[in-house]
Amino acid sequence: MRVMPLTNVFVPYGAYWSTPFCRWQGSLAGEHSIELGARVAASVLPSRGVDPTSLDGVVLGTTVPQRHVFYGAPWAAAMMGAPGITGPIVSQACATAARAIATAASDVELGLRSAVLALLCDRTSNGPHVYYPSPTAPGGRGQSSDWVFEAFDHDPWAKNPMIETAERVAQAAGFSRQAQDEICLLRDSQYRDALRNDRAFQRRYMVPVELRRGKKSVITLDADEGVHETTAEGLARLSPVLEGGTVTFGTQTHPADGSAGLLLCSRERAAACSRDRAVQVRVASWGEGRVERGMMPTATVPAARQALARAEIDVSDCKAVKTHNPFAVNDLWFARELGLSLDTFNRYGSPLVYGHPQAPTGARLVIELVEELVEMGGGWGLFAGCAAGDTAMAVVIEVS
């Protein structure tokens, strides 16, 4: 079955944002991520010329449950100043942002809604410890689970931790430890480009967050927290995480906290809310893929190919490409399979450098993709990122 490109889904230029991403157990560890995301949205939307009450839908993306998450999107909408709207919670591991965009885009494309906010919030810090009662078990004893660490450490279908998927791909493809280290150095260098001129690139979309510390003290978080200095010598000193492996703590991402949001709407609404009406941002398509068990880093390729096919373009048509790369192996595979040079994508860094709060990660990458394309004078852009369960999702946008 042929799936046509989306034709009436737009993002007003500038009607999006990301908070800084903070390392695990850092400055955002004590913040309820949905409350934080809604608070930021309530502040940012009016500054972008968007009245929250003018929205007619919200999609909340989150993967790590916190208190009151059952009330989800309606609760978040009320806190951000739009108590009259509702919508779903979506959760698809690290593909949650792409799924939220796809969900909102489908409603807009079908004319069911004209302006939907995709709000992405996660806090990997202080993840819940869950107990599942089992009255029929010996002694009535149930099972317990550490939500965050169990997600990283055990795929119940593939029977392996996520890091093992990277080792499996590295072994199958012949990716060396040195090649992975070199990718990290490249991505770190690209991220440093985003910090030039007093973080000029990041300031185009990243918003500061005020955090209360005690009754009187307020601090402002205005930049990513937890980005480590990366050198060839430092990477070389690290031991593989798994005995006999090639992946180190330097060649994988780190868990983080943060939030992001972007508005998806009709062409008319986008023009009315755009920071610059000469810039048009269209969501053209999305795609997804699943590969054989235990090979998660390879899933971005079929997802990207599906999204590109739906947009009726080729990867060679894309001026900018962004990837969610929890492991350096991801980018090595993606580049080889799609015929890309490693230095031609992730121009301003990636989660390999600044961390991975799961739900908002993909949203930040799509937002950076928009800004990269604007900087380049427009064109096609591709985002692709893998997710738990040996899956991935991708999104194609066009800036004109």
Side-chain angles (χ1 to χ4, degrees), residues 166-180 245-247 297-298 328-337:
E167 291 290 5
R168 284 168 58 93
V169 173
Q171 183 177 9
F175 297 146
S176 67
R177 160 76 182 269
Q178 180 181 354
Q180 295 175 57
T246 59
V247 181
T298 69
V329 164
N330 287 56
D331 280 358
L332 291 169
W333 180 270
F334 193 78
R336 192 183 76 174
E337 294 299 302

Side-chain angles (χ1 to χ4, degrees), residues 1 40 74 89 186 194 230 322 347 374 376 384:
M1 182 180 69
V40 172
I89 302 176
L186 173 61
T230 302
K322 301 289 287 188
R347 285 182 57 226
V374 169
M376 299 168 78

Side-chain angles (χ1 to χ4, degrees), residues 150-161:
E150 187 170 319
F152 294 155
D153 293 340
H154 180 68
D155 179 338
W157 173 243
K159 311 298 184 187
N160 59 18

Side-chain angles (χ1 to χ4, degrees), residues 236-261:
R237 286 195 295 268
L238 297 174
S239 299
V241 177
L242 301 180
E243 186 175 351
T246 59
V247 181
T248 70
F249 284 112
T251 53
Q252 62 175 313
T253 190
H254 57 275
D257 308 328
S259 70

Side-chain angles (χ1 to χ4, degrees), residues 98-378:
R99 176 57 61 190
I101 290 170
T103 301
S106 297
D107 279 0
V108 174
E109 180 73 10
L110 293 172
L112 303 177
R113 290 185 169 88
S114 64
V116 183
L117 179 70
L119 182 64
L120 296 308
C121 317
D122 252 336
R123 189 190 71 191
T124 61
S125 299
N126 302 321
H129 304 280
V130 184
Y131 178 76
Y132 301 95
S134 181
T136 60
R141 186 175 182 180
Q143 294 180 314
S144 61
S145 171
D146 186 301
W147 189 285
V148 173
F149 282 99
E150 187 170 319
F152 294 155
D153 293 340
H154 180 68
D155 179 338
W157 173 243
K159 311 298 184 187
N160 59 18
M162 286 189 181
I163 192 170
E164 192 174 296
T165 70
E167 291 290 5
R168 284 168 58 93
V169 173
Q171 183 177 9
F175 297 146
S176 67
R177 160 76 182 269
Q178 180 181 354
Q180 295 175 57
D181 285 357
E182 289 173 354
I183 277 284
C184 286
L185 289 170
L186 173 61
R187 298 295 177 244
D188 180 74
S189 173
Q190 291 169 313
Y191 178 78
R192 302 299 162 182
D193 288 341
L195 306 183
R196 290 181 178 176
N197 301 319
D198 191 28
R199 300 177 40 247
F201 179 78
Q202 289 185 348
R203 290 185 189 279
R204 291 160 69 165
Y205 68 87
M206 189 177 290
V207 295
V209 179
E210 290 190 348
L211 304 173
R212 188 167 295 280
R213 295 290 182 263
K215 292 183 178 180
K216 297 182 179 180
S217 176
V218 175
I219 66 169
T220 299
L221 176 72
D222 62 359
D224 293 326
E225 178 183 276
V227 178
H228 302 290
E229 181 181 359
T230 302
T231 64
E233 296 75 21
L235 289 170
R237 286 195 295 268
L238 297 174
S239 299
V241 177
L242 301 180
E243 186 175 351
T246 59
V247 181
T248 70
F249 284 112
T251 53
Q252 62 175 313
T253 190
H254 57 275
D257 308 328
S259 70
L262 67 163
L263 179 62
L264 293 94
C265 55
S266 64
R267 185 192 304 268
E268 295 74 18
R269 288 291 299 270
C273 300
S274 179
R275 180 193 303 164
D276 182 348
R277 294 195 179 193
V279 177
Q280 181 175 273
V281 182
R282 179 171 69 96
V283 178
S285 69
W286 58 271
E288 60 187 347
R290 186 173 187 181
V291 293
E292 62 183 283
R293 67 174 76 188
M295 298 292 282
M296 182 183 75
T298 69
T300 51
V301 172
R305 285 176 173 157
Q306 185 181 85
L308 290 165
R310 288 176 172 178
E312 301 180 342
I313 64 169
D314 186 78
V315 70
S316 62
D317 297 313
C318 294
K319 276 191 178 181
V321 176
K322 301 289 287 188
T323 64
H324 162 49
N325 45 7
F327 304 101
V329 164
N330 287 56
D331 280 358
L332 291 169
W333 180 270
F334 193 78
R336 192 183 76 174
E337 294 299 302
L338 292 182
L340 299 173
S341 297
L342 289 164
D343 61 352
T344 61
F345 60 104
N346 289 325
R347 285 182 57 226
Y348 286 108
S350 68
L352 195 61
V353 178
Y354 52 66
H356 178 35
Q358 293 168 200
T361 302
R364 172 170 171 172
L365 288 162
V366 170
I367 291 166
E368 288 192 354
L369 186 61
V370 171
E371 290 293 354
E372 284 186 31
L373 288 168
V374 169
E375 189 177 63
M376 299 168 78

